[in-house]
Amino acid sequence: MSLYIGIDFGTSTLYVTKWDEEKQIALPVPNLIPSEYGSGNYVDNVVYYEESCNLIMGKKAVKHCQLDPWNGVSEIKRHLDDDRWSREIRGHKKTAKDIITDIFTFIKMRVETIYGGQEITGAVISVPYAFEPKERKKIETAAKSAGVPVLALIEEPVAAALSSGLFDELRPGSKETVLIFDLGGGTFDVTLFDAILGNDGKKSVIVKNTDGERLLGGANIDQLIADKFLSMMTAGSGPLHDARFRNELFEEARQTKIGLSDMQEYEIFKKFEIVDNPLEEVITRSQLEEWLEGSFLYKIDNVLDRVLDDISVQISEIEQIILVGGTSNIPIIAKRVTDFFGKRPKMIDDPGELVGKGAAIYCGIITGRSEKIDVIRRSSHGFGVRVTNKTIKPILIRNELYGQYSPFYDFSLPKDKQKGKVVIYQGNSPFIEHCSEVGYLVVNQQDYPNGIIRMQLKMSDSGLVCYRTFNEKSKFVSEGEVARV
Ligand SMILES: Nc1ncnc2c1ncn2[C@@H]1O[C@H](COP(=O)(O)OP(=O)(O)OP(=O)(O)O)[C@@H](O)[C@H]1O
Ligand SMILES: [Mg+2]
């Protein structure tokens, strides 16, 4: 028996699913966290280390972190871009990759226990579309180090597209343009697709364009509300240095935010140990909306504008809008999307399941265990090499199809150099100051008799940057993944 799973590794929530080949559906892995830890299919992506290598997750971890924040970590997904980030936990230094490896070890152990000791055969992990190759690579490496056999990474909106019933109402020989709006705990992705059902029944999901913000989500709103609370308490920012106070304040902010999605008013009465006066306030929904208007909603408008303007798509061409992600539950967010497009988004019963289920469906597709759907994706970033101290020569342009090699870039090493490192940069600008290093490849002069090196780049199926090189006579020399800097 095989066990294929999909993992939605969210900033705030973990959701794991299994591809059921017989029923041809993705099912949640039930009770990933044992009931004494607060059962359920969704798990708070919060870890608490009882010992340096023994962790708990979910609601119980959230509770422990409030009392002992020094030995717990939340929102780890937001630290993947910072190579210098680490935490000292129970006498051990842990990097973001170490902590994610621990989480994947935990997931693997739980999933295999739930399925009677059967080992995971293959897994697909979802990542934000806006994630950079180095963040994708860290997730993949962490999962593999934990023994999870990663088959592929899939972008969260693409996974959501696969599980949102895009083809249910399509007639053979027709096409629909769909926009997936995914505003989660930590990241914001907007992706425009064509869903095509051929006359022969062939299904294709084709990315037309994607845009987003790597660090925009519910966590920013929690921060915004927490800042307002601090100013209401007139306690200054001093108490923020206390990790327990900070955690409690953010939890209060999160509860207020969630409460105001259902209610018009939310009453808070909270005593903090290190502050004299309690926080005693009634916050209204319109107050929250005013705060969001000033500092959050315009960022959403900007991304929506870009995703359409970039490829000159008219609003009227978009036939369906699907809201994904917990933060889309905030009424003003759904209203903003409705106002922008002049039509209501499609309501999905449990939008929180879409990404995780889509990851398992993709696992079924790539292993040939599900009906075939062509999934065609495009790069969310451009890539190039440095040509002067200030400028980049773009090689692979943004929005290029995954798997498609760029045109050749010809160059040579300085005559006195036997070996050279070619550093690849990421960015949609020709100016180096707006770009970041992705990784490098090493070339040996002796492999290129006349000194001319012909290089191409492409995006792999997991959104990682790959290269291949040829000599002057276009004879293949080498290929591989661009290594991390
Ligand atoms: N009813 C609600 N109203 C407002 N916010 C909510 C509600 N329910 C959940 N949230 C917020 O949604 C976020 C979690 O959403 P989700 O589970 O989609 O994110 P994630 O998948 O963990 O993160 P990401 O995809 O960004 O990495 C949290 O910030 C949570 O506080
Ligand atoms: Mg998510």
Side-chain angles (χ1 to χ4, degrees), residues 9 80 83 95-105 125 127 131-153 462 464 481-484:
F9 191 90
L80 277 170
D83 291 335
T95 63
K97 205 170 92 198
D98 295 335
I99 293 168
I100 293 180
T101 304
D102 291 342
I103 296 175
F104 278 114
T105 306
I125 303 170
V127 289
F131 250 26
E132 299 175 359
K134 82 169 176 188
E135 295 170 292
R136 293 169 187 242
K137 191 71 198 166
K138 273 190 202 165
I139 288 258
E140 188 190 73
T141 319
K144 285 184 174 167
S145 315
V148 175
V150 183
L151 301 178
L153 304 179
S462 288
L464 304 172
E481 211 174 85
V482 168
R484 285 285 319 286

XYZ file of all heavy atoms in Angstrom, residues 9 80 83 95-105 125 127 131-153 462 464 481-484:
348
model
N 1.943 23.816 4.567
C 2.776 24.306 5.665
C 2.551 25.816 5.790
O 3.296 26.624 5.245
C 4.253 23.989 5.362
C 5.159 24.211 6.527
C 5.412 23.190 7.432
C 5.743 25.439 6.739
C 6.238 23.403 8.522
C 6.580 25.659 7.831
C 6.820 24.640 8.720
N 12.275 32.214 6.984
C 13.056 31.418 6.035
C 13.971 32.237 5.142
O 14.954 31.730 4.618
C 12.103 30.600 5.153
C 11.637 29.302 5.786
C 10.534 28.687 4.956
C 12.787 28.336 5.921
N 18.980 34.169 6.566
C 19.942 33.100 6.874
C 20.552 33.261 8.261
O 21.090 32.313 8.815
C 21.066 33.089 5.830
C 20.555 32.635 4.482
O 19.536 31.913 4.453
O 21.143 33.036 3.459
N 18.332 26.990 13.919
C 18.020 27.874 12.792
C 16.574 27.597 12.369
O 15.956 26.614 12.813
C 18.939 27.580 11.594
O 18.681 26.239 11.174
C 20.406 27.735 11.946
N 16.069 28.448 11.444
C 14.700 28.233 10.957
C 14.614 26.845 10.308
O 13.620 26.126 10.488
C 14.336 29.320 9.959
N 15.660 26.484 9.571
C 15.623 25.178 8.895
C 15.605 24.036 9.921
O 14.898 23.041 9.746
C 16.826 25.046 7.954
C 16.568 24.067 6.827
C 17.636 24.107 5.789
C 18.686 23.071 6.124
N 19.957 23.274 5.466
N 16.359 24.198 11.026
C 16.355 23.159 12.076
C 14.943 22.994 12.639
O 14.462 21.875 12.834
C 17.259 23.553 13.257
C 18.722 23.626 12.865
O 19.099 22.946 11.893
O 19.470 24.373 13.525
N 14.293 24.131 12.900
C 12.961 24.057 13.533
C 11.964 23.429 12.552
O 11.151 22.581 12.931
C 12.524 25.465 14.006
C 13.445 25.898 15.153
C 11.063 25.471 14.448
C 13.346 27.346 15.559
N 12.080 23.802 11.274
C 11.156 23.224 10.289
C 11.433 21.724 10.126
O 10.508 20.927 9.967
C 11.234 24.007 8.967
C 10.670 25.408 9.221
C 10.432 23.326 7.864
C 10.674 26.323 8.042
N 12.693 21.351 10.209
C 13.020 19.909 10.153
C 12.341 19.195 11.329
O 11.752 18.118 11.161
C 14.558 19.687 10.214
O 15.153 20.417 9.163
C 14.922 18.220 10.100
N 12.410 19.799 12.511
C 11.758 19.191 13.683
C 10.247 19.056 13.438
O 9.637 18.045 13.800
C 11.982 20.050 14.937
C 13.446 20.025 15.397
O 14.178 19.111 14.970
O 13.843 20.927 16.161
N 9.659 20.081 12.810
C 8.201 20.032 12.566
C 7.884 18.900 11.572
O 6.941 18.126 11.778
C 7.682 21.395 12.042
C 7.868 22.465 13.114
C 6.208 21.291 11.637
C 7.511 23.886 12.679
N 8.684 18.787 10.516
C 8.428 17.721 9.542
C 8.661 16.335 10.171
O 7.968 15.378 9.837
C 9.285 17.901 8.287
C 8.702 18.888 7.313
C 9.341 20.081 7.031
C 7.489 18.633 6.678
C 8.790 21.001 6.150
C 6.926 19.547 5.788
C 7.589 20.730 5.523
N 9.627 16.244 11.080
C 9.856 14.965 11.770
C 8.601 14.590 12.559
O 8.148 13.438 12.551
C 11.074 15.083 12.729
O 12.176 15.559 11.981
C 11.403 13.756 13.393
N 4.555 19.413 -1.003
C 4.445 20.483 0.004
C 4.106 21.788 -0.716
O 4.696 22.097 -1.757
C 5.778 20.645 0.770
C 6.170 19.315 1.427
C 5.674 21.742 1.819
C 7.574 19.305 1.985
N 3.934 25.886 -1.117
C 4.700 27.085 -0.728
C 4.016 28.301 -1.362
O 3.371 28.162 -2.400
C 6.163 27.033 -1.239
C 6.989 26.008 -0.504
C 6.230 26.791 -2.740
N 7.184 33.027 -2.702
C 8.424 32.543 -2.071
C 9.558 32.528 -3.086
O 9.383 32.161 -4.240
C 8.219 31.125 -1.547
C 8.183 31.032 -0.043
C 7.798 32.113 0.727
C 8.526 29.854 0.604
C 7.759 32.022 2.113
C 8.494 29.746 1.984
C 8.107 30.835 2.740
N 10.748 32.898 -2.594
C 11.929 32.899 -3.447
C 12.539 31.495 -3.474
O 12.278 30.695 -2.575
C 12.939 33.894 -2.886
C 12.371 35.293 -2.857
C 13.302 36.292 -2.202
O 14.387 35.895 -1.744
O 12.912 37.467 -2.160
N 13.395 31.219 -4.483
C 13.988 29.883 -4.558
C 14.677 29.463 -3.258
O 14.595 28.303 -2.854
C 15.002 30.010 -5.695
C 14.420 31.057 -6.582
C 13.747 32.037 -5.661
N 15.348 30.401 -2.572
C 16.075 29.956 -1.376
C 15.110 29.530 -0.260
O 15.393 28.612 0.493
C 17.077 31.003 -0.899
C 16.572 32.119 -0.059
C 17.761 32.873 0.521
C 17.272 34.077 1.293
N 18.328 34.952 1.731
N 13.945 30.174 -0.191
C 12.967 29.772 0.824
C 12.368 28.405 0.464
O 12.163 27.543 1.307
C 11.859 30.828 0.923
C 12.369 32.161 1.423
C 11.351 33.276 1.291
O 11.040 33.659 0.143
O 10.859 33.758 2.316
N 12.117 28.217 -0.839
C 11.587 26.925 -1.306
C 12.584 25.810 -0.989
O 12.230 24.731 -0.527
C 11.343 26.965 -2.814
C 10.230 27.903 -3.212
C 10.204 28.116 -4.708
N 9.246 29.146 -5.055
C 8.174 28.960 -5.818
N 7.939 27.796 -6.360
N 7.332 29.935 -6.061
N 13.858 26.109 -1.266
C 14.895 25.101 -1.075
C 15.012 24.719 0.402
O 15.199 23.554 0.753
C 16.222 25.666 -1.603
C 17.338 24.661 -1.716
C 17.080 23.694 -2.837
C 17.923 22.440 -2.701
N 17.467 21.360 -3.570
N 14.895 25.732 1.271
C 15.013 25.436 2.713
C 13.878 24.524 3.165
O 14.083 23.616 3.953
C 14.987 26.729 3.530
C 16.362 27.338 3.686
C 16.299 28.460 4.712
C 17.464 29.413 4.514
N 17.311 30.681 5.190
N 12.663 24.780 2.679
C 11.517 23.938 3.042
C 11.768 22.517 2.546
O 11.595 21.543 3.283
C 10.209 24.472 2.398
C 9.760 25.756 3.061
C 9.112 23.431 2.405
C 8.621 25.633 4.038
N 12.209 22.412 1.282
C 12.414 21.078 0.700
C 13.513 20.321 1.452
O 13.350 19.160 1.815
C 12.790 21.234 -0.778
C 12.840 19.902 -1.510
C 13.447 20.042 -2.899
O 14.672 20.235 -2.992
O 12.697 19.983 -3.874
N 14.617 21.017 1.730
C 15.731 20.357 2.412
C 15.328 19.947 3.828
O 15.679 18.860 4.294
C 16.961 21.301 2.489
O 17.082 21.973 1.265
C 18.227 20.561 2.778
N 14.594 20.825 4.504
C 14.181 20.505 5.877
C 13.302 19.253 5.876
O 13.474 18.347 6.705
C 13.422 21.680 6.481
N 12.365 19.189 4.925
C 11.463 18.029 4.878
C 12.259 16.757 4.554
O 12.051 15.708 5.186
C 10.374 18.255 3.838
N 13.182 16.865 3.604
C 13.975 15.680 3.248
C 14.852 15.243 4.426
O 15.002 14.057 4.673
C 14.824 15.967 2.012
C 13.998 15.976 0.721
C 14.859 16.166 -0.492
C 14.022 16.009 -1.763
N 14.736 16.477 -2.957
N 15.420 16.222 5.158
C 16.256 15.847 6.319
C 15.419 15.112 7.360
O 15.942 14.327 8.143
C 16.858 17.053 7.023
O 17.381 17.942 6.140
N 14.121 15.409 7.395
C 13.249 14.732 8.364
C 12.801 13.367 7.840
O 12.031 12.666 8.499
C 12.028 15.607 8.650
N 13.242 13.024 6.637
C 12.877 11.714 6.083
C 11.571 11.733 5.305
O 11.028 10.679 4.964
N 11.049 12.931 5.015
C 9.816 13.005 4.213
C 10.235 12.942 2.729
O 11.017 13.775 2.273
C 9.052 14.330 4.485
C 7.838 14.462 3.564
C 8.637 14.416 5.945
N 9.741 11.938 1.981
C 10.137 11.836 0.572
C 9.402 12.873 -0.286
O 8.289 12.645 -0.744
C 9.728 10.409 0.190
C 8.707 10.005 1.193
C 8.825 10.872 2.407
N 10.043 14.027 -0.477
C 9.385 15.137 -1.183
C 9.404 14.869 -2.692
O 10.461 14.695 -3.279
C 10.100 16.478 -0.888
C 9.374 17.630 -1.573
C 10.208 16.714 0.604
N 8.230 14.825 -3.292
C 8.149 14.616 -4.745
C 8.189 15.948 -5.477
O 8.746 16.047 -6.565
C 6.858 13.886 -5.111
C 6.657 12.513 -4.479
C 5.321 11.934 -4.901
C 7.785 11.569 -4.881
N 7.571 16.945 -4.890
C 7.543 18.268 -5.535
C 7.043 19.304 -4.541
O 6.434 18.964 -3.520
C 6.601 18.243 -6.745
N 7.314 20.555 -4.863
C 6.675 21.669 -4.161
C 5.624 22.213 -5.112
O 5.813 22.168 -6.330
C 7.683 22.776 -3.850
C 8.929 22.388 -3.054
C 9.821 23.613 -2.853
C 8.554 21.793 -1.700
N 9.661 22.571 -9.102
C 9.435 23.023 -7.729
C 9.767 24.499 -7.561
O 9.898 24.986 -6.439
C 10.269 22.176 -6.760
O 9.724 20.877 -6.672
N 12.565 26.019 -8.458
C 13.986 26.263 -8.148
C 14.690 26.606 -9.459
O 14.238 26.208 -10.541
C 14.606 25.018 -7.505
C 13.879 24.544 -6.241
C 14.410 23.201 -5.774
C 14.012 25.571 -5.126
N 21.223 22.297 -10.454
C 20.443 23.314 -9.760
C 21.416 24.400 -9.327
O 22.541 24.065 -8.927
C 19.832 22.652 -8.523
C 18.526 23.211 -8.097
C 17.969 22.361 -6.954
O 18.356 22.625 -5.811
O 17.177 21.437 -7.222
N 21.009 25.632 -9.416
C 21.877 26.714 -8.948
C 22.032 26.557 -7.438
O 21.040 26.527 -6.713
C 21.251 28.074 -9.322
C 21.957 29.208 -8.619
C 21.282 28.267 -10.830
N 23.288 26.430 -6.989
C 23.502 26.148 -5.568
C 23.279 27.406 -4.744
O 23.396 28.525 -5.251
C 24.921 25.641 -5.364
N 22.944 27.199 -3.484
C 22.726 28.346 -2.606
C 24.005 29.116 -2.369
O 25.079 28.532 -2.256
C 22.210 27.848 -1.251
C 20.782 27.416 -1.239
C 19.840 28.599 -1.280
N 20.286 29.705 -0.423
C 20.208 29.678 0.892
N 19.690 28.669 1.521
N 20.629 30.693 1.604
